[in-house]
Amino acid sequence: MRYAEKAVGSLNRAIDAVGVTKSYGAVRVLDGVDLAVRAGSVSALLGPNGAGKTTMVRILATLTPPDSGRAAVAGCDVTRERGGVRRSISLTGQYAALDDLQTGAENLRMMARLAGMSSRGAKARAAQLLGQFDLTGAARRRVRTYSGGMRRRLDIAAGLVGEPSVVFLDEPTTGLDVRSRQTMWSVISDLARSGVTVLLTTQYLEEADRLADRVAVLDGGRIVAEGTPAELKQQVGGHRLDLTASGRGAFDRLRAGLGSRVLHADAEERRLSVATDGTAGEVRRLLDEFDPACDLVERFGVHGASMDDVFISLTGNTAASLADGGTVGTRATGGTSGEAARV
């Protein structure tokens, strides 16, 4: 029995990678990546620019060979059985691969014919996909007239012509406005409900949180954490306490006093975050511990841990901002935390 068949068949994995490495010259892009994706699920590969996300997808899609390690997709080894992998997958990159001079219907019919369908079958499949992706009304329009969101939907539809069992979406909502992004999220969720396995790469933390059954965080060519969004949030604290210091000196004193407990620090905004269980008693205890004289903390807020916190904590990336919302309090001079009880 082939390694891939054994791995996928016994563990119900649509994707199974072990120890994958890839270098370009002296640059080690992937450094022993292990990745397992359950069949029929949505998994997200999350990481900063340059983390190796796209390279990993290219290896799984047989576009780039790994230097070492092994990987199987849909029961086929990505180096020894590339034809089998390619018959089972669809890959949608960051930019739509469509013919702007053709209509939406013509693009899909062309893809279906290239996949070996008869003229009648191609027409029927194109009509089915246009309806599924809410593009029937634009079927006869040239693609160059489509909005960004429509082009992305058509691009994914084109990739589904051959009914693949595994779909790779490499940053599928890059450049889309909020409404178009939400539409794409619905499309991806529908794919998973139909039984298709989806692996998406993204830099949008909300996207991974909302769509993925499991998230793998890739940083510096390694998987630094993996789990459900809830599990990853729990790793950095079920809640966080956001603090605004009363001045730059106060910020420096707080940061020094909190040490390794700081999840995020922004000197310009004088804000720091630490983990907490979210209860009023715990918040009072923390405030009294590191600000007993009530002169360092100007304002505070308690929030549920977000994927921003996961990203910052696990990748060391400080670019993500604190999430909006939550309960905000102002410390009173008597050492109480009046608003915290309402969290």
Side-chain angles (χ1 to χ4, degrees):
M1 177 180 290
R2 296 174 302 180
Y3 155 76
E5 288 176 336
K6 181 178 180 180
V8 176
S10 62
L11 298 176
N12 192 31
R13 292 175 179 172
I15 300 170
D16 195 10
V18 179
V20 173
T21 68
K22 185 67 181 179
S23 297
Y24 293 100
V27 179
R28 188 84 155 180
V29 180
L30 298 175
D31 190 15
V33 172
D34 298 338
L35 183 66
V37 177
R38 179 175 51 83
S41 68
V42 178
S43 289
L45 200 53
L46 180 67
N49 281 332
K53 303 186 301 295
T54 296
T55 299
M56 188 64 191
V57 168
R58 287 180 62 82
I59 287 172
L60 294 173
T62 75
L63 298 178
T64 301
D67 293 339
S68 63
R70 55 190 185 181
V73 176
C76 298
D77 187 276
V78 298
T79 57
R80 293 183 284 107
E81 301 166 297
R82 290 183 296 172
V85 173
R86 292 177 180 181
R87 285 190 293 271
S88 302
I89 69 169
S90 168
L91 169 61
T92 300
Q94 297 177 30
Y95 304 100
L98 301 168
D99 186 339
D100 283 354
L101 298 180
Q102 293 192 93
T103 67
E106 287 170 344
N107 266 276
L108 294 183
R109 289 200 299 267
M110 176 184 69
M111 292 295 185
R113 292 289 282 161
L114 290 172
M117 294 185 187
S118 66
S119 178
R120 177 178 294 181
K123 185 176 181 179
R125 182 62 173 152
Q128 179 186 10
L129 289 168
L130 288 165
Q132 180 180 344
F133 286 83
D134 195 23
L135 291 169
T136 301
R140 297 184 179 181
R141 284 171 46 191
R142 293 186 187 275
V143 171
R144 67 185 179 189
T145 69
Y146 282 20
S147 67
M150 293 169 68
R151 289 172 62 88
R152 298 299 284 158
R153 298 205 309 274
L154 183 64
D155 200 25
I156 293 178
L160 295 176
V161 163
E163 300 185 89
S165 61
V166 180
V167 174
F168 297 108
L169 301 176
D170 189 15
E171 302 197 14
T173 61
T174 295
L176 298 186
D177 59 38
V178 173
R179 186 179 299 276
S180 296
R181 186 174 298 143
Q182 290 177 340
T183 300
M184 282 297 301
W185 289 350
S186 297
V187 167
I188 294 168
S189 296
D190 289 343
L191 282 178
R193 281 193 289 269
S194 72
V196 174
T197 303
V198 178
L199 176 65
L200 66 93
T201 70
T202 183
Q203 296 181 68
Y204 295 116
L205 307 179
E206 183 186 3
E207 188 162 272
D209 195 5
R210 179 163 175 173
L211 294 177
D213 300 306
R214 298 188 72 80
V215 175
V217 182
L218 186 64
D219 190 38
R222 292 176 174 268
I223 299 292
V224 296
E226 190 273 340
T228 67
E231 289 169 346
L232 293 178
K233 292 175 193 176
Q234 193 61 42
Q235 287 187 30
V236 299
H239 292 76
R240 73 172 192 267
L241 176 63
D242 298 333
L243 309 169
T244 300
S246 56
R248 181 55 190 267
F251 172 86
D252 293 339
R253 289 172 59 190
L254 284 169
R255 188 171 190 174
L258 291 167
S260 61
R261 287 188 288 176
V262 174
L263 297 176
H264 173 70
D266 185 334
E268 185 175 342
E269 297 291 332
R270 309 192 317 275
R271 291 191 295 185
L272 305 97
S273 299
V274 296
T276 175
D277 64 9
T279 63
E282 169 74 357
V283 171
R284 290 192 186 96
R285 186 190 67 76
L286 287 171
L287 289 170
D288 290 339
E289 174 190 344
F290 47 72
D291 187 18
C294 303
D295 60 350
L296 301 181
V297 177
E298 180 180 284
R299 297 182 65 81
F300 69 88
V302 179
H303 307 258
S306 69
M307 290 302 293
D308 292 61
D309 302 308
V310 172
F311 193 83
I312 294 165
S313 176
L314 296 178
T315 68
N317 191 314
T318 59
S321 62
L322 295 173
D324 293 330
T327 300
V328 176
T330 303
R331 269 203 102 183
T333 55
T336 62
S337 47
E339 295 292 327
R342 300 176 189 169
V343 174

